[in-house]
Amino acid sequence: MTKAQLFDQIKLKRSFLCIGLDPVLENLPEHLLDDEDPIFSFNKAIIDATEDLCVAYKPNTAFYEMYGTKGWNSLQKTWSYFSKDLFTIADAKRGDIGNTSKMYAAAFFNEERSGMGFDAVTVAPYMGSDSVVPFLNHEHKWVILLALTSNAGSTDFQSLHVGGKNRLYEEVIARSSKWGNSEQIMYVVGATKADAFESLRALAPDSFFLVPGIGAQGGSLAEVCRFGLNKTCGLLVNSARQIIYAGKGTDFAEMARAEALKVQQEMEVILHQHDLI
Amino acid sequence: MTKAQLFDQIKLKRSFLCIGLDPVLENLPEHLLDDEDPIFSFNKAIIDATEDLCVAYKPNTAFYEMYGTKGWNSLQKTWSYFSKDLFTIADAKRGDIGNTSKMYAAAFFNEERSGMGFDAVTVAPYMGSDSVVPFLNHEHKWVILLALTSNAGSTDFQSLHVGGKNRLYEEVIARSSKWGNSEQIMYVVGATKADAFESLRALAPDSFFLVPGIGAQGGSLAEVCRFGLNKTCGLLVNSARQIIYAGKGTDFAEMARAEALKVQQEMEVILHQHDLI
């Protein structure tokens, strides 16, 4: 999906919501547990109930790998169920030497090879350019590079000043913008770090930011939008637990929809206020 | 496996060789391609031919994920085939917020949950302490943290000076040594960076280093050992392509054995020279 197509979807749906599909068996509604593949049944119901309210879905691979081959199969079925107008993100946080990153790119982008063709994959920048570039050699596919993450540990290394000037997360954006452009690279910027959005937006004025940390992790949508929005929206705001676990009964999907609707409506107001729709 | 048990295996086998199991269908001997699971057939033959010459195996997950569910199944079968006295490493380079890293730890350590119970998993440090600590809560399991990797891109971020003093890779070792000890954490240090071994060994005198980059990537075993060895050996030196693709005919496993034997014999001499056996 191109940036223009993504912005079109945002305008059409009046939403820049990304829903995190991070299911754990222990948290699923009980009536699903007898299904052959409860994880897929759950995802399918959540997708059916929310796909008109969000532009993106983001399964985190950890939640599938935890169940071994069976889990990987649930991930593959979930990807196959996504309709083509959705922006699909494999939240995999991969990254390895060039030859190996090429294999990871095949795993997530090359449907013929792996059975999955996500639009985007999250990548960790620690190993540098040749760990990222192989993901950029796929047309209309995206790298979403970790910049400033939403967790407490982000202060351990990401916030350190490097070479006496930039912080490491700023250096990640500065350097990686030479490896690809804003049609290929997005950045992960945590909603819990709203005060960093102004400087990050200045560093990457045209890039999309994928923003986790709204909801369960405590970030505020209004704060993120204040400096985060740009002329093509430029934000995909992720919510997982708050939406997918809104209810635990047989009406869990309707409860999830109600929660997603609240976020979409808040986003619609914001898009209007910023003259984006 | 504990550090003492690993050192015992090193002394017993007179080897600190780790073999990377990174198979690609295009590179396998042709006669295996009609097998139901050529990747597993290949791994099985390599393991049978080399397991007395090495102490560890390290499948890189990218090479399995590339084939989707089928590939993950080959990885699971490969893990099940390892005998218990081998040190097994999932080279996965994972790392995510705490709640998610817990799932990754289950994926690679918790056999009941995922079907696989590796001894160690490689972890990327970018997201900081809470992305690493969940892996440390498994008894006798190991985190192998990326410090200084063997690829060209390692100079992009890892070598930057942070806070005006340490380089980032040194800071990773300095900080992480407060999260766990040398019975829980090893570090990835590329063989192509032999000149860094002296300072890294000073920072982590008791830790094992997992050393990729010998062979195809150009690193030298003698150089690595000069400063890398410590009183419990402290090195696991990885070789993948040079061994597993030594031959492409029906005798590929014997050819792999011959190549592994060369490395083991070189290691035996070095272990003698350093009075470790």
Side-chain angles (χ1 to χ4, degrees):
Chain A
M1 188 179 287
T2 65
K3 188 158 77 167
Q5 289 168 332
L6 177 57
F7 187 38
D8 282 346
Q9 286 297 313
I10 289 170
K11 288 185 284 189
L12 187 73
K13 292 179 165 175
R14 299 163 178 266
S15 169
F16 45 100
L17 174 61
C18 172
I19 297 180
L21 293 175
D22 305 343
V24 178
L25 281 178
E26 286 81 344
N27 295 340
L28 299 195
E30 242 184 82
H31 70 282
L32 294 182
L33 298 180
D34 293 333
D35 286 12
E36 196 207 322
D37 183 346
I39 298 277
F40 177 62
S41 299
F42 178 76
N43 285 351
K44 192 169 165 298
I46 295 284
I47 295 166
D48 288 343
T50 59
E51 65 179 346
D52 59 320
L53 302 173
C54 67
V55 290
Y57 287 98
K58 181 179 77 60
N60 186 308
T61 50
F63 291 76
Y64 301 85
E65 292 176 19
M66 180 173 53
Y67 302 111
T69 301
K70 200 168 179 326
W72 201 262
N73 193 41
S74 306
L75 177 63
Q76 216 165 307
K77 282 156 71 182
T78 301
W79 179 80
S80 302
Y81 194 70
F82 289 136
S83 69
K84 292 295 167 216
D85 55 357
L86 290 165
F87 188 77
T88 59
I89 303 167
D91 192 1
K93 300 187 175 71
R94 300 299 198 259
D96 208 309
I97 62 170
N99 177 50
T100 305
S101 274
K102 211 193 290 179
M103 309 298 165
Y104 277 131
F108 294 108
F109 290 159
N110 189 335
E111 190 185 347
E112 277 175 40
R113 192 116 216 195
S114 71
M116 297 191 291
F118 284 91
D119 293 297
V121 62
T122 57
V123 175
Y126 190 75
M127 293 181 67
S129 56
D130 57 321
S131 69
V132 176
V133 167
F135 292 98
L136 300 175
N137 298 331
H138 292 253
E139 210 185 357
H140 300 157
K141 301 286 186 181
W142 296 78
V143 161
I144 308 182
L145 203 59
L146 302 184
L148 182 56
T149 58
S150 57
N151 60 321
S154 65
T155 58
D156 282 321
F157 305 116
Q158 297 167 26
S159 304
L160 297 177
H161 285 277
V162 292
K165 207 177 51 176
N166 277 345
R167 290 178 186 272
L168 179 58
Y169 64 81
E170 293 165 331
E171 190 70 13
V172 165
I173 294 184
R175 293 211 181 207
S176 64
S177 63
K178 289 169 196 139
W179 309 336
N181 59 37
S182 69
E183 295 274 347
Q184 300 173 291
I185 306 180
M186 301 185 180
Y187 296 99
V188 172
V189 185
T192 52
K193 314 283 172 171
D195 50 346
F197 271 81
E198 192 174 5
S199 77
L200 291 176
R201 189 42 93 198
L203 273 170
D206 300 322
S207 301
F208 263 86
F209 294 160
L210 172 65
V211 184
I214 294 281
Q217 292 181 57
S220 143
L221 180 62
E223 276 298 297
V224 162
C225 290
R226 205 173 146 213
F227 293 113
L229 287 167
N230 70 9
K231 61 182 187 297
T232 58
C233 182
L235 293 175
L236 291 175
V237 173
N238 187 70
S239 182
R241 285 169 269 181
Q242 193 182 349
I243 291 175
I244 68 174
Y245 297 142
K248 288 199 67 166
T250 50
D251 62 346
F252 74 97
E254 292 103 278
M255 301 283 278
R257 178 175 178 79
E259 207 57 44
L261 186 63
K262 270 192 238 165
V263 184
Q264 182 274 321
Q265 286 170 339
E266 205 183 333
M267 287 177 168
E268 183 167 346
V269 171
I270 291 170
L271 288 168
H272 265 302
Q273 284 169 344
H274 288 79
D275 289 326
L276 288 161
I277 51 173
Chain B
M1 189 179 286
T2 66
K3 189 159 76 167
Q5 288 168 333
L6 177 58
F7 187 37
D8 283 346
Q9 285 298 314
I10 289 170
K11 288 183 286 190
L12 188 73
K13 292 179 165 174
R14 300 165 177 263
S15 167
F16 44 101
L17 173 61
C18 172
I19 297 181
L21 293 173
D22 306 343
V24 178
L25 281 178
E26 286 81 346
N27 295 340
L28 299 196
E30 242 183 82
H31 71 282
L32 293 181
L33 298 180
D34 293 333
D35 285 13
E36 196 207 324
D37 184 345
I39 298 276
F40 177 62
S41 299
F42 178 77
N43 285 350
K44 191 170 166 298
I46 295 284
I47 295 166
D48 287 342
T50 58
E51 65 180 345
D52 60 320
L53 302 173
C54 68
V55 290
Y57 287 98
K58 180 179 76 61
N60 186 307
T61 51
F63 290 75
Y64 301 85
E65 293 177 17
M66 180 173 52
Y67 302 111
T69 301
K70 199 166 178 332
W72 201 261
N73 193 41
S74 306
L75 178 62
Q76 217 165 306
K77 282 154 72 182
T78 300
W79 179 80
S80 301
Y81 193 70
F82 290 135
S83 70
K84 293 296 169 216
D85 55 356
L86 290 164
F87 188 76
T88 58
I89 303 167
D91 192 1
K93 302 189 174 70
R94 300 299 198 258
D96 207 310
I97 63 171
N99 178 50
T100 305
S101 275
K102 210 192 291 180
M103 309 299 165
Y104 278 130
F108 294 108
F109 290 158
N110 188 335
E111 189 185 347
E112 278 175 41
R113 193 117 216 195
S114 71
M116 297 191 292
F118 284 92
D119 292 298
V121 62
T122 57
V123 175
Y126 190 75
M127 293 182 68
S129 56
D130 56 323
S131 70
V132 176
V133 168
F135 292 98
L136 300 173
N137 298 331
H138 292 253
E139 209 185 358
H140 300 157
K141 301 288 186 179
W142 296 79
V143 162
I144 308 181
L145 203 58
L146 303 184
L148 181 57
T149 57
S150 57
N151 61 320
S154 65
T155 58
D156 282 322
F157 305 117
Q158 296 167 26
S159 304
L160 297 177
H161 284 277
V162 292
K165 207 177 48 178
N166 276 346
R167 290 178 187 270
L168 179 58
Y169 65 82
E170 293 166 332
E171 189 70 13
V172 164
I173 293 184
R175 293 210 179 208
S176 64
S177 64
K178 290 169 194 139
W179 310 335
N181 60 36
S182 70
E183 296 274 348
Q184 300 172 289
I185 306 182
M186 301 185 181
Y187 297 99
V188 172
V189 185
T192 52
K193 315 282 171 172
D195 50 346
F197 271 82
E198 191 173 8
S199 77
L200 291 175
R201 187 44 91 200
L203 272 169
D206 301 321
S207 301
F208 263 86
F209 295 160
L210 172 65
V211 184
I214 294 278
Q217 293 181 56
S220 144
L221 180 62
E223 277 298 298
V224 162
C225 291
R226 202 170 149 217
F227 294 113
L229 287 167
N230 70 10
K231 62 182 188 296
T232 58
C233 181
L235 293 175
L236 290 175
V237 172
N238 187 70
S239 183
R241 284 169 271 180
Q242 193 183 348
I243 292 174
I244 68 174
Y245 298 141
K248 289 199 64 167
T250 50
D251 63 345
F252 73 98
E254 292 102 277
M255 300 283 278
R257 179 176 177 79
E259 206 57 44
L261 186 64
K262 270 192 238 164
V263 183
Q264 182 273 323
Q265 286 170 339
E266 204 182 334
M267 288 177 167
E268 183 166 345
V269 171
I270 291 170
L271 287 168
H272 266 300
Q273 284 168 343
H274 287 79
D275 289 326
L276 288 161
I277 50 174

